[in-house]
Amino acid sequence: MYKIETIALKNKYEGKIHFLKRFWGFFKGGVEPFIYLLPAALVFTFFTFYPFFKTIYISLFITDPRGGLSKFIGLKNYFDLLASQNFLNSLYATFKFVLFTVPPSIFISLILAIFANVNMRGKNVFRVFYALPISVASASAAVIWTLLFNPSIGFINYVLSVFGIPPIGWLTDVKWGIVAVSIVTIWMNIGMNFIFLMGGLQNIHKDLYESAQIDGANLFLQHAKITIPMLSPTLFFVTVVDIINAFQQFGVINIMTQGGPVDSTNVVVYSIYRDAFFNFRFGVASAESIILFVILFALTLLQFNTGERKVFYR
C-alpha cells in the first residue's frame, strides 16, 4: 500500500514538473520576447503612433484658435488644400528644394570621400575638416550664413565684387532665396554624408583597383566601374535619408528667410508651422502633415522598388 501511494505521489509531482517545464518553455519562447519589447512599444505608442492617429483625427475637423475641435468636416481640409494655389506652391518649393540640395550634397560628399581615401600624409586632418559641419547646429549655421549672405557687409558679396560681379540679394531676391537656403543645407549635409561614404569606401578591397590598373583602366573608369557599384548600398541609403531630411527641413528656412521672399522658400513643413501657430488652423496644418507623410511614404516605396534594383550587394 505504501509503495502504491509513493508511486502515485511520484507520478503526481512528475506531472506537475512536466507542466511547469512546458509552461516555462512557452513563456521563454512566446511571452518573454514581448516583455522585453514592451518598453519600446509603449514609447512608440505614446510618442509616435498616438500623435500620428491623433493628427489624422484632427485633420477631419475645423478647430478653434486654442486647438479645440469645432466642427467635423471630413476630407474637406484635404480637398481645399489640393485646390489651394498656396499649398501647391509650397509643394513646388519643396520639390525644388529637394532637387537643389540632395544631388549636390551627395556628389560633393562622394568627391571629398574619394580624395580623403587616398593614401597620403595628413589625410586624417582632411577627414576631420570635411566632417566638421555635422558638429554645427542648424540654428548656429543659419545665423552664420545669414551674415555671410548679407547684401551690404556679407563676405560672399565682397568676394563677388572682387571679380566685378554686382552684389546679389541672396535673402531678398525671389530667384536667389531658395539657392541660399540650399547652399546652407548642402553644407550641413556634407559632414554626415561624408562619414557614411567614407566608411563605404574603406570596405572596398584595394585589389580591385590594382586589377583595373593592370588592365589599363584610368582613374575615371576605376571609379565608374568599381567605386560606384561597390558603394551603391551606401549611396542608396544616403539618398533615401537625404530626401527625407530635405522634405522635413525647417530650422534653416525659419531663421534665414521665414518662407520668403514672396513665399519662394515656403516649403511644406514651414507652411504647416505657419498655418498651425500663426493662422491657428490646426485642422488644415494636420491635413498638410498627412499629405506630406503620404508623399514621403510614396517616394520611399518608389525608391526601394526602383533604386534598390541597381544596388550591388556583395
Side-chain angles (χ1 to χ4, degrees):
M1 187 69 180
Y2 175 76
K3 185 176 181 181
I4 295 174
E5 290 178 354
T6 303
I7 294 174
L9 186 63
K10 182 180 178 181
N11 292 334
K12 179 180 178 182
Y13 279 110
E14 284 181 351
K16 289 183 178 180
I17 292 172
H18 180 67
F19 171 77
L20 290 175
K21 286 182 178 180
R22 289 185 60 186
F23 176 78
W24 181 250
F26 170 76
F27 176 80
K28 292 286 288 186
V31 178
E32 187 181 24
F34 294 98
I35 294 177
Y36 293 124
L37 291 173
L38 183 60
L42 291 175
V43 171
F44 273 98
T45 299
F46 287 109
F47 294 99
T48 301
F49 300 129
Y50 172 74
F52 175 72
F53 289 110
K54 183 69 173 181
T55 301
I56 296 177
Y57 180 69
I58 294 174
S59 69
L60 304 177
F61 288 83
I62 296 176
T63 59
D64 58 35
R66 293 178 298 176
L69 305 181
S70 299
K71 181 182 178 182
F72 177 79
I73 57 172
L75 299 177
K76 187 175 186 302
N77 282 330
Y78 295 93
F79 294 135
D80 290 345
L81 282 172
L82 295 176
S84 170
Q85 189 62 42
N86 290 333
F87 181 71
L88 295 179
N89 288 338
S90 295
L91 285 177
Y92 172 74
T94 303
F95 280 100
K96 189 176 180 181
F97 178 74
V98 172
L99 183 63
F100 280 13
T101 56
V102 175
S105 62
I106 295 176
F107 178 76
I108 295 172
S109 302
L110 178 61
I111 297 300
L112 294 178
I114 290 173
F115 278 114
N117 197 43
V118 177
N119 290 324
M120 57 179 291
R121 295 182 61 184
K123 63 181 180 181
N124 290 332
V125 177
F126 290 102
R127 291 177 181 178
V128 173
F129 284 147
Y130 295 154
L132 274 179
I134 195 177
S135 64
V136 181
S138 60
S140 302
V143 172
I144 294 170
W145 280 92
T146 299
L147 295 175
L148 293 175
F149 284 128
N150 189 285
S152 301
I153 61 173
F155 180 74
I156 295 178
N157 276 346
Y158 170 76
V159 173
L160 294 178
S161 65
V162 172
F163 294 97
I165 301 175
I168 297 174
W170 294 99
L171 304 178
T172 57
D173 193 321
V174 175
K175 296 182 298 183
W176 292 100
I178 191 72
V179 176
V181 295
S182 297
I183 291 174
V184 181
T185 304
I186 291 170
W187 179 79
M188 292 178 58
N189 289 344
I190 284 176
M192 182 62 73
N193 291 347
F194 171 80
I195 292 174
F196 283 124
L197 295 174
M198 190 70 210
L201 284 173
Q202 291 178 340
N203 289 326
I204 301 177
H205 295 292
K206 303 299 181 183
D207 297 342
L208 297 174
Y209 295 102
E210 294 174 359
S211 300
Q213 288 177 353
I214 294 174
D215 292 337
N218 57 33
L219 192 62
F220 176 79
L221 285 177
Q222 291 178 33
H223 290 305
K225 300 298 183 180
I226 298 175
T227 303
I228 301 300
M230 298 298 289
L231 201 61
S232 56
T234 308
L235 287 171
F236 177 73
F237 169 77
V238 168
T239 302
V240 173
V241 171
D242 279 6
I243 289 177
I244 293 175
N245 289 337
F247 269 96
Q248 296 177 338
Q249 182 60 257
F250 172 77
V252 172
I253 293 173
N254 182 45
I255 293 175
M256 294 184 65
T257 62
Q258 293 81 46
V262 197
D263 288 341
S264 60
T265 60
N266 185 33
V267 295
V268 174
V269 173
Y270 190 79
S271 177
I272 294 171
Y273 166 74
R274 193 158 61 180
D275 278 330
F277 300 107
F278 284 87
N279 300 328
F280 302 107
R281 300 192 303 167
F282 296 99
V284 175
S286 298
E288 289 179 282
S289 301
I290 299 304
I291 292 175
L292 179 61
F293 165 78
V294 172
I295 292 173
L296 281 174
F297 185 73
L299 285 175
T300 304
L301 285 181
L302 181 63
Q303 285 178 284
F304 274 92
N305 289 332
T306 58
E308 199 173 20
R309 298 175 186 174
K310 301 178 182 179
V311 175
F312 175 71
Y313 293 105
R314 53 190 182 280

